[in-house]
Amino acid sequence: MPIKIPDQLPAADLLRSENIFVMSESRAMHQDVRPLKVLILNLMPKKIETENQLVRLLSNTPLQVGIEFLRVDSRESRHTPAEHLDSFYRNFDEVRANNYDGLIITGAPLGLVSFEDVLYWDQVEEIIHWSRQHVSSTLFLCWAAQAGLKVLYDLPKRTREQKLSGVYEHRTLLPSDPLVRGFDDSFLAPHSRNADFPEDFISEHTDLRILASSETAGSYLMASPDRRQVYLTGHPEYDALTLAQEYQRDLLAGLDPAPPQNYFPDDDAEQAPQNRWRSHGNLVFANWLNYYVYQITPFDLSVMATKIDE
């Protein structure tokens, strides 16, 4: 099935060039199918790049998915044209009364900023609380995972002494859970964060099930018992060059970053890295849409009485 996105969204041409079936809103109106409604709160600076990455992963599923984008920062963007934001993004007041099958909250370059000092923290906190009544399943990515743990479990920010940047091996801990169905026993995933998610800290202070973890990177994939919140501390949506671009950005900013680990061939930053996590990224998003969204969401979204079959 196709993914349904706004007719003029830049991701449409990119996905068509990759032979991914994209359906415009105008064509979708003529089909008698209720697509899953997924709202994306995009907090990343390069919004179009993040749109492309997430829409690509959400398209790899037999389910028809309709995408809407949400913003909370009203400041002028240095990386995204204002006309793009005005055309494709909605403010929270415009969607507050709506219900959605899924919500994705992206990461943000705020790892060293206290939650209270984030300009739009109150809005993020409000949206997380709102999602409990208006969304079947919410996926928190990277910084958003830390934000979700703070709002829903009152966990303090845990910050690493050194930034975690690179591609790391992970272990699948609960292979019977549908979210990791089809995962290899071990798999690779990229990380780029200052936040720390130790397994024992998560286990002692939450009821979350840790589905996958890494000796180096800590807890990677966690889910609430009712499947309504999923915390993903890495970046399976990243393109092959995203970590390299972040590394070059930090170099130019004079931050003296260490090169991403296990990323450049032979640890040589002059060589082009390869995407070694693409299949895992596609699988985790497909499983989330199928088992954690489609399987628990009501057909009539006006009724948000979500439940799962034990």
Side-chain angles (χ1 to χ4, degrees):
M1 293 293 285
I3 189 163
K4 183 172 76 71
I5 56 179
D7 294 18
Q8 303 303 318
L9 190 74
D13 289 337
L14 174 68
L15 296 181
R16 290 191 183 101
S17 72
E18 298 174 1
N19 293 320
I20 294 174
F21 187 9
V22 178
M23 177 176 287
S24 66
E25 288 184 321
S26 54
R27 179 178 176 186
M29 291 175 61
H30 298 284
Q31 290 202 336
D32 188 20
V33 174
R34 183 179 91 69
L36 294 177
K37 292 179 59 177
V38 174
L39 183 67
I40 299 176
L41 173 55
N42 189 354
L43 302 175
M44 294 292 277
K46 296 183 178 180
K47 298 200 182 309
I48 295 177
E49 178 180 294
T50 301
E51 293 164 13
N52 293 342
Q53 293 171 349
L54 291 176
V55 170
R56 181 186 290 117
L57 291 176
L58 292 169
S59 68
N60 191 36
T61 169
L63 303 167
Q64 187 180 130
V65 183
I67 304 295
E68 295 180 27
F69 293 101
L70 178 65
R71 62 177 174 181
V72 292
D73 190 352
S74 59
R75 294 174 297 175
E76 182 177 353
S77 173
R78 292 182 298 168
H79 303 283
T80 308
E83 56 269 23
H84 179 88
L85 294 172
D86 293 339
S87 296
F88 301 114
Y89 281 73
R90 306 176 74 179
N91 296 316
F92 184 52
D93 284 343
E94 298 178 82
V95 305
R96 185 190 301 273
N98 298 347
N99 291 336
Y100 291 88
D101 300 296
L103 168 66
I104 298 173
I105 305 180
T106 73
L110 299 169
L112 297 178
V113 181
S114 298
F115 292 127
E116 296 76 12
D117 293 333
V118 174
L119 181 67
Y120 44 79
W121 173 249
D122 289 347
Q123 293 164 280
V124 171
E125 187 174 18
E126 181 182 11
I127 290 169
I128 293 174
H129 284 302
W130 166 87
S131 71
R132 299 280 290 165
Q133 303 298 324
H134 292 267
V135 179
S136 293
S137 186
T138 299
L139 176 59
F140 299 93
L141 295 177
C142 199
W143 178 84
Q146 198 174 37
L149 291 173
K150 169 62 177 175
V151 173
L152 299 180
Y153 292 94
D154 196 29
L155 293 192
K157 179 188 287 284
R158 296 284 296 257
T159 303
R160 300 174 59 91
E161 292 184 3
Q162 292 184 329
K163 181 180 179 180
L164 184 75
S165 177
V167 180
Y168 302 95
E169 186 172 5
H170 299 72
R171 296 169 293 113
T172 303
L173 302 180
L174 295 176
S176 62
D177 190 276
L179 191 59
V180 293
R181 186 164 294 169
F183 276 32
D184 291 329
D185 293 340
S186 64
F187 60 92
L188 297 174
H191 288 263
S192 177
R193 55 178 165 85
N194 295 99
D196 197 18
F197 301 94
E199 282 188 57
D200 55 354
F201 181 71
I202 300 298
S203 298
E204 290 172 9
H205 296 92
T206 76
D207 60 351
L208 298 176
R209 292 169 296 121
I210 302 176
L211 307 180
S213 187
S214 163
E215 289 187 7
T216 304
S219 304
Y220 172 69
L221 185 60
M222 303 167 282
S224 61
D226 61 2
R227 303 184 189 174
R228 296 196 61 188
Q229 285 82 39
V230 174
Y231 301 82
L232 207 167
T233 67
H235 283 288
E237 80 280 6
Y238 269 12
D239 296 325
L241 297 179
T242 305
L243 285 176
Q245 293 165 351
E246 292 182 349
Y247 174 60
Q248 293 298 325
R249 176 201 65 196
D250 291 347
L251 281 175
L252 291 174
L255 299 179
D256 192 27
Q261 292 184 307
N262 311 312
Y263 176 60
F264 294 110
D266 300 321
D267 292 324
D268 180 0
E270 298 299 319
Q271 295 192 46
Q274 294 182 330
N275 189 324
R276 296 180 290 155
W277 56 88
R278 183 180 295 110
S279 57
H280 156 70
N282 280 303
L283 187 55
V284 69
F285 273 78
N287 283 352
W288 175 68
L289 279 176
N290 185 17
Y291 300 113
Y292 275 51
V293 179
Y294 178 70
Q295 298 292 343
I296 72 171
T297 198
F299 181 82
D300 182 359
L301 273 178
S302 66
V303 181
M304 249 311 140
T306 54
K307 64 178 182 179
I308 62 173
D309 294 326
E310 298 296 342

